Amino acid sequence: MGRQQLINSLKKYVLSRVQTVKPTNIVIKVCMGTGGIAAGGSEVMDAFRTELDASGIEATVAKNCLTHKVGCRGLCAKDVLVDVIVKGQKTTYQYVKPEMISRIVKEHIIENNPVTDWVVGDDYHNFHKKQLKVVLSDCGSIDPEDIDAYIAGKGYEAARKVLTSSAPEDVIGIIKASGLRGRGGAGFPTGVKWEAAMKQASRQKYMICNADEGDPGAFMDRSVIEGNPHAVIEGMIIGAYSIGADKGYVYIRAEYPLAVERLRKALSDARTRGFLGKDILGTKFSFDIKVKLGAGAFVCGEETALIASIEGQRGMPRAKPPFPVYSGLWGKPTVINNVETLANIPYIIRNGAEWFSSFGTEKSKGTKVFALTGKIKNSGLIEVPMGIPLREIIYDIGGGIEGDRALKAIQTGGPSGGCIPAEMLDTPVDFESLAKVGSIVGSGGMVVLDEDNCMVNMAQYFLQFTQMESCGKCVPCRIGTKRLLEILDRITKGKGKEGDIELLGKLSADIKAASLCGLGQTAPNPILSTIKYFRDEYEAHLNGKCPAAVCKELLTYYILEEFCKGCGACLRACPAKAITGEKKKLHKIDSAMCIKCGACFDVCKFKAVGKE
Ligand SMILES: Cc1cc2nc3c(=O)[nH]c(=O)nc-3n(C[C@H](O)[C@H](O)[C@H](O)COP(=O)(O)O)c2cc1C
Ligand code: SF4
Ligand code: SF4
């Protein structure tokens, strides 16, 4: 088939699809990402279907009424979120429960009178105002299990354009010009990586999507796959065509069952429609993708460990060079890209390199997806232009700190990252600026910490994680992180020694310099950044105090005479029988017997138990 014939046949296909999609008067979109489902999304969906059926909506109100599941739309804190679109007018409801559906159907859908009590407020709109959605532009809007929904929004047009009318060099030129850098952590320019693989004279090459996402608290890549799996597949097709690969893998952790299920369905649908397999869209290009489940080891996100895992070996990193683009899976040239990196590709091809590079800063182009969590009012999934100040993320998008407590720091980059103190809130969020202040963009974890967080405890938490996840191949990481953890343990238990802070610094520098892979090379970062900005907290611990009253062994519980009503609740709750007192009289804690479990603190309704 000639190129023009091919284009005509594709146009005909798209037209036939459009004609079979009926115009609809009513569309209901229920958030059914993992967060939405956990909050009751499936039950809300069922309730809508039951209610619409029972009220005979099809016959009485409108000929067409569609109920869709959609992926995460960001503000998980207000799940279940539901859009009700009547004659093009969209109303979003928050905290939706099945028992609310009959009223929504009756008043909004039948009587065209939205239930204002349950409609999202200013905080929902403010959450979105400063965001810029490229990767997430279709997430939360289209049904991730419906390939036609993706196609209707220009999905697979970029792949068609590339496969039918562009040379691999041209595609790589566009990606290079866009300035796209890898979103998996290191920020390596994607076009440069593709070009290196393209230039390898090998008959066999591989394209791998890294969906391991092991950082604690991170859910960006899972949400992208759950919300729009076809964008990732399309990105892989374009990448594979550009480098000359005919086989691809998505390496995804088995702990992501919904993402795996939707990805598998999307792959199968893409195959059926001819976007994957032999002679894609009638061209001579063939490419297919397999799903490889990972067992949830953080180190398997490291590209060489990931390759070893796909090959059936133990997931351990190896020394680089050679880099995977020269010698990767089974020794063949291999490109590994992160989920978000790949999901950007179709949008860049569709809209052009200039469009993409118009967002962001001089060296960090485009947008970045973050999982915004911790002590923040609007926790959820956000996408922002690179270079946005942290302050705008925390206060304008995130709505400020929970309980209006004082912000202490923002932890970015997960276990490989660092803590940025509140005084540096005007730091722009991009690769260069975060590195300058001792942190990283990383894959997109962003944890907000308030005055009740202990920074030593925070460093200990992340180090516990990396220590446990160390594959053990090299001594500095395997043993060095253990020693670091021992020092932190004794500091948080009030048994720290003079010189411990300096020892942490020295040992960290050695581990960073001598470890084989990124896990060990970055594991000390949370310690180094907290020592840099919160040294006073380390010193306070060495003097037997935890200023945030978090480290258990350093706490003293006491009862405040002016508040105690003598109700006896603490006495009954104390498992160590350390509390004494008669009914309606002041109670007392025997600190020698107290095991610092905090049961009295939790149980006292009169805020009469204090801790310091
Ligand atoms: C310990 C460790 C864990 C990693 N985990 C991930 C991960 O879960 N996802 C990811 O895309 N990259 C991860 N990376 C980075 C990958 O090695 C690799 O750089 C990345 O997948 C390349 O894709 P990109 O160029 O699109 O960013 C990890 C690196 C290290 C050292
Ligand atoms: S740095 Fe740690 S995780 Fe990486 S190879 Fe060495 S022991 Fe394994
Ligand atoms: S629970 Fe509170 S009010 Fe009751 S006896 Fe204990 S400290 Fe006093």
Side-chain angles (χ1 to χ4, degrees), residues 299 302 304 317-318 474 515-522:
V299 77
E302 195 282 336
T304 60
R318 63 155 173 81
C474 64
S515 290
L516 175 62
C517 86
L519 191 151
Q521 287 158 9
T522 60

Short mmCIF file of all heavy atoms in Angstrom, two decimals, residues 299 302 304 317-318 474 515-522:
data_model
loop_
_atom_site.label_atom_id
_atom_site.label_comp_id
_atom_site.label_asym_id
_atom_site.label_seq_id
_atom_site.Cartn_x
_atom_site.Cartn_y
_atom_site.Cartn_z
N VAL A 299 15.72 -1.50 44.10
CA VAL A 299 16.92 -1.49 43.26
C VAL A 299 16.62 -1.92 41.82
O VAL A 299 17.34 -1.57 40.89
CB VAL A 299 18.04 -2.35 43.90
CG1 VAL A 299 17.78 -3.85 43.70
CG2 VAL A 299 19.41 -1.96 43.37
N GLU A 302 16.65 0.58 39.04
CA GLU A 302 17.93 0.97 38.44
C GLU A 302 18.07 0.20 37.13
O GLU A 302 17.83 -1.01 37.10
CB GLU A 302 19.07 0.67 39.42
CG GLU A 302 20.39 1.32 39.08
CD GLU A 302 21.18 0.65 37.98
OE1 GLU A 302 20.98 -0.56 37.76
OE2 GLU A 302 21.99 1.32 37.33
N THR A 304 20.26 -1.13 35.05
CA THR A 304 20.98 -2.39 34.79
C THR A 304 20.41 -3.53 35.65
O THR A 304 20.41 -4.70 35.22
CB THR A 304 22.50 -2.23 35.03
OG1 THR A 304 22.72 -1.84 36.39
CG2 THR A 304 23.11 -1.21 34.10
N PRO A 317 22.46 -4.28 40.17
CA PRO A 317 23.09 -3.39 39.20
C PRO A 317 24.47 -3.89 38.80
O PRO A 317 25.10 -4.66 39.54
CB PRO A 317 23.21 -2.06 39.95
CG PRO A 317 22.28 -2.18 41.11
CD PRO A 317 22.26 -3.63 41.47
N ARG A 318 24.92 -3.43 37.66
CA ARG A 318 26.30 -3.72 37.25
C ARG A 318 26.98 -2.38 36.96
O ARG A 318 26.32 -1.34 36.86
CB ARG A 318 26.33 -4.62 36.01
CG ARG A 318 25.70 -3.99 34.79
CD ARG A 318 26.25 -4.57 33.49
NE ARG A 318 25.53 -4.09 32.32
CZ ARG A 318 25.72 -2.93 31.73
NH1 ARG A 318 26.59 -2.06 32.22
NH2 ARG A 318 25.04 -2.59 30.65
N CYS A 474 27.77 -4.24 46.80
CA CYS A 474 29.03 -3.55 47.11
C CYS A 474 29.08 -3.11 48.57
O CYS A 474 28.07 -2.77 49.17
CB CYS A 474 29.28 -2.40 46.14
SG CYS A 474 28.08 -1.09 46.20
N SER A 515 30.07 3.85 46.17
CA SER A 515 29.03 2.86 45.85
C SER A 515 28.91 2.64 44.35
O SER A 515 29.18 3.54 43.56
CB SER A 515 27.67 3.33 46.39
OG SER A 515 27.68 3.26 47.78
N LEU A 516 28.47 1.45 44.01
CA LEU A 516 28.42 1.07 42.60
C LEU A 516 27.26 1.74 41.85
O LEU A 516 27.43 2.18 40.71
CB LEU A 516 28.28 -0.47 42.52
CG LEU A 516 28.09 -1.09 41.14
CD1 LEU A 516 29.31 -0.81 40.26
CD2 LEU A 516 27.85 -2.58 41.26
N CYS A 517 26.10 1.81 42.47
CA CYS A 517 24.96 2.33 41.71
C CYS A 517 24.31 3.51 42.41
O CYS A 517 24.69 3.88 43.52
CB CYS A 517 23.93 1.22 41.47
SG CYS A 517 22.74 1.01 42.80
N GLY A 518 23.31 4.07 41.76
CA GLY A 518 22.62 5.26 42.25
C GLY A 518 22.01 5.07 43.63
O GLY A 518 21.85 6.04 44.37
N LEU A 519 21.65 3.84 43.97
CA LEU A 519 21.02 3.64 45.28
C LEU A 519 22.00 4.03 46.39
O LEU A 519 21.70 4.86 47.24
CB LEU A 519 20.55 2.19 45.44
CG LEU A 519 19.65 1.91 46.65
CD1 LEU A 519 18.70 0.76 46.37
CD2 LEU A 519 20.42 1.65 47.92
N GLY A 520 23.20 3.46 46.35
CA GLY A 520 24.20 3.78 47.36
C GLY A 520 24.73 5.20 47.21
O GLY A 520 24.97 5.89 48.20
N GLN A 521 24.87 5.62 45.95
CA GLN A 521 25.44 6.96 45.71
C GLN A 521 24.55 8.07 46.25
O GLN A 521 25.02 9.17 46.51
CB GLN A 521 25.66 7.16 44.20
CG GLN A 521 26.83 6.37 43.65
CD GLN A 521 26.72 6.15 42.15
OE1 GLN A 521 25.86 6.72 41.48
NE2 GLN A 521 27.58 5.30 41.62
N THR A 522 23.25 7.79 46.36
CA THR A 522 22.34 8.85 46.82
C THR A 522 21.74 8.57 48.21
O THR A 522 21.11 9.46 48.78
CB THR A 522 21.17 9.03 45.83
OG1 THR A 522 20.46 7.79 45.73
CG2 THR A 522 21.65 9.46 44.46
#
